[in-house]
């Protein structure tokens, strides 16, 4: 899932406050933008881990336009971080799925040639997440 983030420079502290508007309270501070981008990923993953631990829903990522006009983000630099939410969706369960032979063959060909998908199950999970992204 791709979450918009905003980096706000604080001249008094000579650092950046990095905020994830879609996750209230999910923020960090860093001396440089690069350090902030690395740090916010760890903060987001920690935040999502806590939500999963308490069986809370993963916040939906919204568009820049949703937040960009808000006064508290004026003057900020916007970016997007791509977070794999799969580990935060809960425990995996084994299921049986019946699919046409040609479809299975096409899935297996994709898995064999695309490093992003290590297994057939991984491919199907990614396809399901993409299809349900507005509901997760």
């Amino acid at each position: 899932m791709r979450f918009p983030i905003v980096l706000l420079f604080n001249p008094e502290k000579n650092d950046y406050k990095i905020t994830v508007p879609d996750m209230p309270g999910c923020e960090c501070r860093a001396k440089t933008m690069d350090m902030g981008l690395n740090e916010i990923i760890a903060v987001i993953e920690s935040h999502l881990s806590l939500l999963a631990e308490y069986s809370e829903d993963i916040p939906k990522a919204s568009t820049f336009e949703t937040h960009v006009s808000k006064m508290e983000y004026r003057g900020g630099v916007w970016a997007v971080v791509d977070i794999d939410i799969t580990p935060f969706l809960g425990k995996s369960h084994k299921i049986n799925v019946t699919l046409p032979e040609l479809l299975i063959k096409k899935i297996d060909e994709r898995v064999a040639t695309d490093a992003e998908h290590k297994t057939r199950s991984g491919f199907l999970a990614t396809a399901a997440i993409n299809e349900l992204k507005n509901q997760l």
Side-chain angles (χ1 to χ4, degrees):
M1 193 172 292
R2 298 177 70 196
F3 289 98
I5 63 167
V6 62
L7 297 93
L8 296 159
F9 184 70
N10 182 342
E12 293 171 5
K13 294 185 178 182
N14 196 33
D15 70 358
Y16 291 88
K17 177 180 174 186
I18 302 91
T19 302
V20 185
D22 293 322
M23 295 184 202
C26 189
E27 57 188 43
C28 66
R29 297 192 97 69
K31 287 291 181 191
T32 68
M33 285 185 178
D34 286 332
M35 290 170 64
L37 289 171
N38 289 331
E39 179 68 21
I40 198 64
I41 291 171
V43 171
I44 292 169
E45 289 174 347
S46 177
H47 189 87
L48 292 175
S49 181
L50 284 172
L51 291 176
E53 185 177 329
Y54 290 101
S55 300
E56 298 286 330
D57 290 337
I58 293 172
K60 291 180 176 73
S62 56
T63 63
F64 287 115
E65 288 76 21
T66 305
H67 304 293
V68 97
S69 63
K70 294 179 182 173
M71 195 62 162
E72 68 256 40
Y73 304 131
R74 290 255 163 98
V77 174
W78 288 89
V80 173
V81 292
D82 195 7
I83 303 293
D84 178 9
I85 62 168
T86 308
F88 311 106
L89 295 176
K91 188 173 102 174
S92 294
H93 295 274
K94 187 173 185 173
I95 61 170
N96 289 326
V97 178
T98 303
L99 297 171
E101 186 176 350
L102 181 58
L103 183 56
I104 293 171
K105 181 180 176 190
K106 294 290 185 186
I107 291 169
D108 289 345
E109 287 172 359
R110 173 64 70 86
V111 169
T113 59
D114 188 345
E116 179 183 352
H117 307 291
K118 294 178 176 59
T119 64
R120 186 186 291 162
S121 292
F123 177 87
L124 294 173
T126 300
I129 288 168
N130 287 336
E131 184 65 27
L132 299 170
K133 65 183 163 195
N134 292 330
Q135 297 172 10
L136 291 176

